[in-house]
Amino acid sequence: MVVLIAKHLKDHCSRAQIRYSVPEEAEHGTFVGNIAEDLGLDLTKLASRRFQVVPSSRSPYLEVNLENGVMFVKDQIDRELICKQSASCQLNMEVFLEDPLELFRVEIEVVDINDNPPSFPETDITVEISESATPGTRFPLESAFDPDVGSNALRTYDMTTNNFFFLDVQTQTDGNKFAELVLEKPLDREQQAAHRYVLTAVDGGQPPRTGTALLVVKVLDSNDNVPAFMQPVYTVSLPENAPAGTLVIQLNATDKDEGLNGEVVYSFSNHISSRVKELFSIDARTGRIEVRGEVDFEESSLYQIFVQAKDLGPNAIPAHCKVLVNVADVNDNAPEITFSTVTESVSEKAAPGTVIALLSVMDRDAEDNGQVHVEILGDVPFKLKSSFRNYFTIVTDGPLNREHVDSYSVTVVARDKGTPSLATSKSIRVQVSDENDNAPTFTQPVYDVYVTENNVPGAYIHAVTALDPDTGQNSLISYSILECDIQSMSVKTYVSINEETGYLYALRSFDYEQLKDFSFMVQARDSGAEELASNATVRVIIVDQNDNPPLVLAPLGKNGTAREPLPRSAEPGYLVTRVVAMDADDGENARLSYSIQRGNENGMFRMDWRTGELRTARRVSTKRDPHQMYDLLIEVRDHGQPPLSSSASVLVVLVDSVAEGRGGGDKGATTKAKDGALDLTLILIIALGSVSFIFLLVMIVLAVRCQKDKKLNIYTSCSARQARSRKKKISKSDIMLVQSTVNVGGLAWPKVPVEESGSFGSHHQNQNYCYQVCLTPESAKEPTSSPTLTTTRCGAVMSAYTDPQPDIISNGSILSSEVRLINHYSSPMCGNTITLVLS
């Protein structure tokens, strides 16, 4: 509980009170409460303000850490030892701060536990009964004592079943139980002089505890007369805190017998409580009852003293009377607040006037000391409404919003009208229950997910997260992927999502060369009665891996070996051939370098590692056998990690002149070379024709679909973005125009080596102008493993023809034969047309 009451005194010191509760028998170190935190004190200023406990209020059972204000159990607390049988047990402590002076009263309620079983004063209880006693005669038994209070106190008695006696358990006005032994059948001492039974006392704890004693009934001979009191009940008034020795009442009982049979002695009855014996005493000869201990009204406002008078004759039968002691009250009790019902939570849509708690307020004091005023502290959207008598209800008094304030601490203060006035406060925590008034919100509107190609199917790729400020079921989010198509297939065949965690998993292995990126939408939906949802876009970007080795496109030769002529008179720097290769990968994975791995005798040749140009490094030796060829192994390596490579075998043949090298040899060899070229060309024509037909069908389907989308005016973020052409933009430096070639022996050869040019030109042949696009190696990269058509959003159209056309020359190297295929990539969206001549 937090601060109960605060006062500002005239001497500028403030006082406040706080209340805690701790169960008895709590072990050393048990946390009771943080005084500084509950009082709202600044922990960092406790030392500077000399936070300390008032020495006179220190308790051996509790200790306060003066550095952080934490109160804990110092020594085990025995409630019965401290408060006896008082219904309320409380320890008090006072702490204070300086600069300015602030005094705080701390009340610690010790809560009783059922740690004591009932016990009888003696293990053997002896009752003497005259054999002349008639059935129905009652004999009060010595009461058992249970130091626990409340529901843990003594509840009832029981005894062994028999034919002579039964127990009658009665309740005193103060709630204590006592048992009377009632004679049910006349006794005969001559037949049985003593009866033994087990007497059991049972308390009300859970589980109950019991105590037993052996009840011995001795049968005696009878005495004719018994003492008699003037009245059976006496009522007296005693002021609270009366000093010891104060007379309560003077009793007098008479006996008609004479001698010892008429001499009366007084004593407390056996069933009187031990607490009464501690507070009062009786003189056995005079019957004078006096105050022995400290009488406290808060402990009990009424005490019942049961007195018996018995003569000294044989077989004496005692007489009994009851003395009621009323204790006068002073205002030393603060009001008590009890919550009968408390609503654990109230809906944030609750209307004003909704009841959240029912409480009652009472003060054990009387008259003005017991008149109480009740109010709610602080600015909270609640108010008190009087119900009936001392009952009140706490109702809502304004709108609630759980997302702004999810709980309220409502403190009720009750103050009596005594002098001085006493006050009590009690707080309850009211939780504001949630309504599903907030949709889930993704942490990002768009998620970019990078996935390396060739991933393992089922691999985790990313996680999307949505937040919902609601609670419980209203904030329980489930994730799903909205249906859409990617490459005419459902997105759910590409990725899946864990509906509980939002984890995304790839359902297939992605290929960068086929699909570079795609998008889809995920949805987060809560589990409220009226479900709310929101969407986010996930863009999956495929990251290229170096999984394709370079493909050598030129020079081409029979059985993988190309033959290239070299005039014996060639000067150093003569261009022998140019190795052209491509890599289907992208970026560094497609950047190629060329080198000679084998056959470069005496460093005869040098290779441009960037362009693939093979040139002579020196003149051909005159002593070299003209029939001895140079067998070169050219390696093409990419820059991926790890790098991949391919090789090409080139046979350099020494010739006397270019014409002889190109057309020399027998006609059979020329015919075979030409046939091989024609066969390769035919294969390429068939392949490209098939691809063109398929592409035409795809373009028709896409055109119909786009027209349909325009009519419906539907936008989908899940359109699959297939592989975009990563070709380098063609600049003037990448393009040249070349002349036609001269056919020598059925093969096309340049008249002279042509160096690289960076300008456009034209060539006149047969009264026609022919413009030929030539690409440098850096702009001629193709992301496929063979000369195939790449489908992009820009579209593609292919055509082929066999008319003689100018040859493709890059850096002065002839790349194609007489018959070639030309791909026209037309871009209706981009507005560009590129013509690529392939051998």
Side-chain angles (χ1 to χ4, degrees), residues 556-629:
L556 296 175
K558 190 173 183 179
N559 297 326
T561 301
R563 299 173 64 91
E564 298 291 342
L566 174 62
R568 297 178 61 85
S569 60
E571 296 292 332
Y574 177 82
L575 177 63
V576 178
T577 187
R578 182 177 181 180
V579 179
V580 179
M582 61 157 291
D583 195 313
D585 293 321
D586 198 9
E588 284 295 302
N589 297 331
R591 189 164 68 88
L592 305 179
S593 61
Y594 303 82
S595 63
I596 302 174
Q597 294 296 311
R598 188 188 68 213
N600 190 12
E601 302 176 10
N602 300 321
M604 179 62 192
F605 303 96
R606 59 181 174 85
M607 171 70 73
D608 189 320
W609 68 272
R610 289 172 295 184
T611 65
E613 293 179 348
L614 180 64
R615 296 178 182 271
T616 57
R618 56 177 54 85
R619 290 178 175 272
V620 180
S621 175
T622 58
K623 298 180 181 180
R624 185 175 180 84
D625 184 357
H627 298 289
Q628 183 180 1
M629 296 178 289

Side-chain angles (χ1 to χ4, degrees), residues 738-743 748 763 765-766 768-773 800-809 814 816-822 824 835 837-838:
V738 298
Q739 298 177 350
S740 300
T741 60
V742 176
N743 291 328
H763 178 69
Q765 183 182 17
N766 297 329
N768 294 321
Y769 287 93
C770 177
Y771 294 90
Q772 179 62 47
V773 178
Y801 59 90
T802 60
D803 294 335
Q805 296 291 329
D807 294 321
I808 300 176
I809 297 179
I814 300 175
S816 61
S817 61
E818 180 181 2
V819 181
R820 60 192 60 79
L821 300 177
I822 299 179
H824 298 276
T835 302
V837 180
L838 301 177

Side-chain angles (χ1 to χ4, degrees), residues 47-232:
S48 61
R49 294 185 62 188
R50 299 187 61 189
F51 176 75
Q52 55 187 300
V53 179
V54 176
S56 61
S57 68
R58 290 177 181 171
S59 171
Y61 304 102
L62 301 169
E63 188 169 348
V64 178
N65 187 323
L66 300 180
E67 295 180 358
N68 56 22
V70 173
M71 176 184 287
F72 58 93
V73 175
K74 179 181 179 182
D75 196 4
Q76 192 175 62
I77 303 174
D78 188 343
R79 183 187 185 283
E80 289 73 28
L81 180 64
I82 299 173
C83 301
K84 307 302 179 183
Q85 281 192 289
S86 173
S88 174
C89 185
Q90 178 176 295
L91 299 176
N92 298 318
M93 182 180 291
E94 292 182 347
V95 297
F96 67 94
L97 292 166
E98 296 180 359
D99 297 326
L101 179 63
E102 290 183 283
L103 180 64
F104 306 99
R105 178 180 175 84
V106 183
E107 296 180 357
I108 303 94
E109 181 183 5
V110 181
V111 180
D112 181 53
I113 63 174
N114 191 25
D115 57 341
N116 294 284
S119 62
F120 292 91
E122 302 292 337
T123 57
D124 295 337
I125 299 175
T126 301
V127 178
E128 296 179 349
I129 301 177
S130 174
E131 64 179 343
S132 61
T134 60
T137 303
R138 295 174 175 266
F139 303 91
L141 299 179
E142 189 166 4
S143 296
F145 173 71
D146 190 339
D148 295 326
V149 297
S151 60
N152 298 325
L154 181 66
R155 183 174 59 87
T156 188
Y157 293 87
D158 196 7
M159 69 175 295
T160 307
T161 304
N162 62 89
N163 296 327
F164 294 93
F165 302 94
F166 68 92
L167 282 180
D168 184 13
V169 180
Q170 298 188 22
T171 303
Q172 303 177 15
T173 55
D174 59 357
N176 291 329
K177 308 285 185 178
F178 68 93
E180 289 184 339
L181 186 66
V182 182
L183 182 62
E184 189 175 18
K185 184 178 178 181
L187 302 174
D188 189 347
R189 192 190 65 80
E190 286 71 27
Q191 291 185 3
Q192 186 175 355
H195 300 263
R196 290 178 172 80
Y197 308 107
V198 176
L199 182 62
T200 303
V202 183
D203 67 17
Q206 292 297 328
R209 290 174 172 263
T210 60
T212 59
L214 179 62
L215 176 61
V216 179
V217 179
K218 293 184 178 180
V219 183
L220 305 175
D221 288 336
S222 63
N223 186 3
D224 292 342
N225 296 289
V226 297
F229 287 99
M230 297 179 63
Q231 57 191 68

Side-chain angles (χ1 to χ4, degrees), residues 478-495:
S478 60
Y479 299 89
S480 62
I481 297 176
L482 298 183
E483 186 62 53
C484 65
D485 289 341
I486 298 175
Q487 293 181 333
S488 301
M489 298 184 68
S490 172
V491 66
K492 295 183 180 178
T493 65
Y494 285 79
V495 291

Side-chain angles (χ1 to χ4, degrees), residues 546-562:
N546 192 25
D547 56 347
N548 292 284
L551 177 64
V552 179
L553 301 178
L556 296 175
K558 190 173 183 179
N559 297 326
T561 301

